[in-house]
Amino acid sequence: MMGVTWSNEAGQRLTAGGKSLEYAAWGPKPADAPTLVLLHEGLGSVALWRDFPQALVDATGFGVLAYSRAGYGASDPVDLPRPLDYMTREAEQSLGDVLDAAGIEHAILLGHSDGATIATIYAGSVSDMRIRSLILLAPHFFTEPDGLAAIRSAGDAYANGGLKEKLAKYHDNVDVAFHGWHDVWTDPGFAAWNVGDSIDHLRIPVLAIQGRDDPYGTLAQIQEIETRIYSPLETAILDNCGHAPQSDQPHATLEAVREFCARLDRIEREIVQMA
């Protein structure tokens, strides 16, 4: 039973993982169409998806739900320092509550960066028949030296280069949002972080999209999926694209998502007709 108002108006709230989270919704309600559930990057929020949610509705005909995780946007803050396994905790302790609160019936988890990792952990560790597929934008499953160097550079930009002022437009507590991400990734103990085993347990179709010029992750992240996955996988490797395919190559990204969702929907309808 849907417990939220299906609207993209500002100020919408739901409760998950014991926190009050901001959310917004576009397009058909969960009872009327599949829902793309958006999980933002490590410095993201509902607002930072910009016009991507409506573009997804227009391209797929599906509904879209986006929410800011605790510590981001206008959602409740979190205590710092975050634990090094914060993405696993987010998957296991909060995402399911979001799906419950929103009345999600048939979901495609679409995650970007940290959000892609959280989506993979959830689908690989939680038995939830609502999750029909994953769309992963710039996913990461282990650390890479160049990516860690880019995060350290972001720390300098936050302290000295105006990044804090830019992010403050999108986060009520910008220091919590930034340091909750940056300080984990630059912690010496995080260098050995690896959640690749989540891929081993996926049994649903996956679309992975990666930019060739991503400073935070290389094609080794995509190769990790290709090596470990047992379920159907499609990949889109985009030229002239950095860490945000939805912004750097919006047309190519939307087209890949549209085709993937159309095939899934057609296959599921055929299965229903045959049953």
Side-chain angles (χ1 to χ4, degrees), residues 62-111:
F62 292 177
V64 173
L65 175 78
Y67 69 100
S68 296
R69 297 189 295 275
Y72 296 99
S75 293
D76 282 354
V78 296
D79 295 329
L80 298 182
R82 281 186 183 269
L84 299 189
D85 64 345
Y86 73 96
M87 284 179 274
T88 296
R89 296 190 187 204
E90 183 69 33
E92 295 179 348
Q93 300 175 9
S94 183
L95 179 52
D97 286 353
V98 171
L99 302 176
D100 292 343
I104 301 299
E105 300 179 10
H106 175 161
I108 298 96
L109 301 182
L110 190 159

Side-chain angles (χ1 to χ4, degrees), residues 8 17 22 31 45 50 57 66 73 81 83 115 117 129 131 136 148 168 177 185 187 190 195 202 222 228 243 263:
N8 63 1
E22 68 165 339
S45 67
R50 297 187 171 87
V57 174
T117 306
M129 296 300 292
I131 309 304
L136 309 177
L148 295 177
W185 279 83
D187 187 296
F190 196 71
V195 292
L202 297 177
I222 303 301
R228 306 186 74 144
H243 189 57
R263 279 192 294 275

